[in-house]
Amino acid sequence: MIQFENVVKRFRRNQVLKGVDLNIERGHRVALVGSNGAGKTTLIRCLLGEYTCEGRVLVDGLDPRQHRRAVLSKVGFVPQLPPPLKMPVRQLVRFAASLCDADPRRIETVAGRLGLDVENFHGQPFVKLSGGQKQKLLIAIALGRDSELLVLDEPTANLDPGARHIFFQLLAEKKAAAAMLISSHRLDEVASLVNRVIEMDQGSVVLDDRVADLVDLSSHLWCRVTLIQPEAAFAKSIGEWSFHGSDDGLMWEGRVAGPDRLRFLGVLARYAALLAGISMQQTDAPPEVLPDG
């Protein structure tokens, strides 16, 4: 599917990519991780044909510079920073759909699943949307067509927990038919989404490891958290996950997307001194009684 063969990229005297060799096949869900400046975004831009480089980059045997339209028709791309497009939302959806002969209604349906009713923003310039609305629309454009390769750069950065759950379900629907390259500077943000981890540092691949593919992307956990004492800051944080609290503020229950478990536990870790118990149970419906934790 994707081949990087001794890829080198220089910006004047600065060598940003230093002989990268990688092969990524369909069904691979790859976490591309590394600190800022490691070379992740530059590698992605070479893959999309935005940069020239030394060595070879191929997508299904096609050079993304020489066959730009053919390659991009296979790719669903969500950038880290939304572009400052002044195009109205309806026009943007239709333009994006026309590039790969997709039905714009599919894009609007995916946006609706993420919680963005495109009908309400048809005439509004894309640049005027909120950060979360922009992210939802970009994800809908990427996933609302038959993409063979998904390139996602910090894709959940502006999504609330409910929208992330839907996003994971959308990825689950694509996982058998597409390759996925998910870039992040933090592995814990994407670890549950992938079956392969590639770490970059200073322009080189320093780790390429297959990982256990144990998390169902569409799964969720019903959780109960009990506190030693109520705390307003905790109530605000867990309320953002749509958890419901008891009248005394000592017990909270709600649903967490399976791939979001590490992120959720990271939130709880901030309040470790307040915690009396945690229960997490994978299930399709909220159990009547969760086991004590």
Side-chain angles (χ1 to χ4, degrees), residues 147-223:
S147 303
E148 299 175 43
L149 169 62
L150 296 174
V151 181
L152 312 170
D153 197 350
E154 304 282 0
T156 65
N158 292 305
L159 297 183
D160 58 84
R164 283 202 303 272
H165 191 187
I166 300 300
F167 172 66
F168 300 145
Q169 290 178 340
L170 291 165
L171 290 187
E173 295 167 11
K174 296 274 190 179
K175 69 177 185 178
M180 301 182 192
L181 186 62
I182 306 173
S183 177
S184 179
H185 67 284
R186 291 179 54 183
L187 178 57
D188 63 342
E189 294 284 334
V190 295
S192 298
L193 299 176
V194 302
N195 53 24
R196 183 177 174 188
V197 175
I198 294 172
E199 183 178 357
M200 295 189 67
D201 184 44
Q202 298 183 2
S204 298
V205 173
V206 295
L207 174 72
D208 184 354
D209 197 14
R210 303 296 172 91
V211 295
D213 193 6
L214 300 177
V215 177
D216 180 353
L217 295 180
S218 61
S219 67
H220 60 255
L221 306 165
W222 281 96
C223 304

Side-chain angles (χ1 to χ4, degrees), residues 109-182:
T109 297
V110 173
R113 289 177 62 182
L114 289 165
L116 179 68
D117 187 349
V118 176
E119 285 284 343
N120 294 334
F121 301 95
H122 267 169
Q124 189 166 331
F126 175 79
V127 73
K128 296 293 186 180
L129 299 179
S130 69
Q133 290 166 343
K134 290 175 183 175
Q135 194 78 347
K136 289 174 182 178
L137 186 57
L138 291 172
I139 289 172
I141 288 171
L143 301 185
R145 53 200 184 98
D146 296 324
S147 303
E148 299 175 43
L149 169 62
L150 296 174
V151 181
L152 312 170
D153 197 350
E154 304 282 0
T156 65
N158 292 305
L159 297 183
D160 58 84
R164 283 202 303 272
H165 191 187
I166 300 300
F167 172 66
F168 300 145
Q169 290 178 340
L170 291 165
L171 290 187
E173 295 167 11
K174 296 274 190 179
K175 69 177 185 178
M180 301 182 192
L181 186 62
I182 306 173

